[in-house]
């Protein structure tokens, strides 16, 4: 029986697997092998903010979709075309990812904004009006 948030448990399992890679001396897979880049999600009271590391990505290869309480970030980082080279070490990952994140509440997709600066994607999603707490005035009588 799984308790709590599935995504939190999945992230915990991923950190444990990364730790095993380090302990047993294998190459730590990095985000390319995990199939998603690292991100932070936090709330400001009015909005949810996602900061996602996407170094080396072209904006033409990043797609963001917000539906209800779900954020989907897709991207593809193309490997440079290098002919007649012999790699002595190759640690950078290339390819595509698809990251779906369930948010604690519904957000207003129409007012969602995204910014990409120095390899950091920041998505600001205002909480939908219908889920914000409202003060109810009590009248006498």
């Amino acid at each position: 029986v799984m308790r709590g948030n599935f995504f939190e448990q999945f992230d915990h399992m991923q950190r444990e697997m990364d730790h095993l890679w380090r302990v047993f001396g294998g190459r730590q897979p990095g985000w390319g092998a995990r199939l998603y880049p690292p991100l932070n999600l936090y709330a400001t009271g009015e909005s949810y903010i996602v900061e996602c590391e996407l170094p080396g990505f072209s904006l033409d290869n990043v797609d963001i979709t917000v539906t209800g309480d779900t954020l989907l970030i897709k991207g593809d980082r193309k490997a440079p075309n290098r002919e007649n080279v012999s790699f002595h070490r190759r640690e950078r990952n290339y390819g595509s990812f698809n990251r779906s994140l369930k948010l604690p509440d519904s957000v207003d997709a129409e007012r969602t904004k995204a910014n990409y600066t120095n390899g950091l994607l920041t998505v600001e999603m205002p909480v939908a009006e219908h889920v914000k707490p409202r003060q109810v005035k009590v009248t006498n009588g």
Side-chain angles (χ1 to χ4, degrees):
V1 174
M2 296 182 70
R3 296 173 196 226
N5 186 329
F6 169 78
F7 296 105
E8 289 175 8
Q9 290 180 353
F10 184 79
D11 286 341
H12 175 74
M13 181 179 69
Q14 184 62 52
R15 286 190 302 274
E16 292 295 319
M17 292 300 295
D18 287 349
H19 176 72
L20 286 173
W21 278 102
R22 285 190 299 273
V23 168
F24 292 108
R27 180 176 171 262
Q28 187 174 351
W31 72 258
R34 290 191 317 215
L35 303 178
Y36 61 85
L39 60 78
N40 291 336
L41 166 65
Y42 58 92
T44 65
E46 294 292 315
S47 298
Y48 291 104
I49 310 291
V50 171
E51 295 173 331
C52 183
E53 295 179 10
L54 298 175
F57 278 80
S58 166
L59 287 180
D60 295 335
N61 297 330
V62 176
D63 184 41
I64 302 167
T65 306
V66 177
T67 307
D69 62 353
T70 303
L71 170 69
L72 176 63
I73 303 173
K74 295 191 279 189
D76 187 29
R77 183 166 59 186
K78 306 280 186 202
N81 187 11
R82 292 193 173 97
E83 296 180 16
N84 302 319
V85 298
S86 176
F87 282 95
H88 293 274
R89 180 176 285 257
R90 188 171 185 162
E91 296 181 357
R92 297 187 65 207
N93 295 307
Y94 299 97
S96 61
F97 74 90
N98 184 343
R99 185 86 196 257
S100 177
L101 187 63
K102 186 149 174 69
L103 305 168
D105 292 309
S106 291
V107 296
D108 186 346
E110 294 296 320
R111 296 187 318 151
T112 295
K113 298 183 282 188
N115 184 0
Y116 183 68
T117 305
N118 296 329
L120 182 67
L121 174 69
T122 304
V123 183
E124 181 180 355
M125 300 161 288
V127 175
E129 291 297 322
H130 71 276
V131 296
K132 286 184 180 177
R134 297 191 194 295
Q135 185 69 35
V136 177
K137 186 173 182 173
V138 179
T139 59
N140 191 6

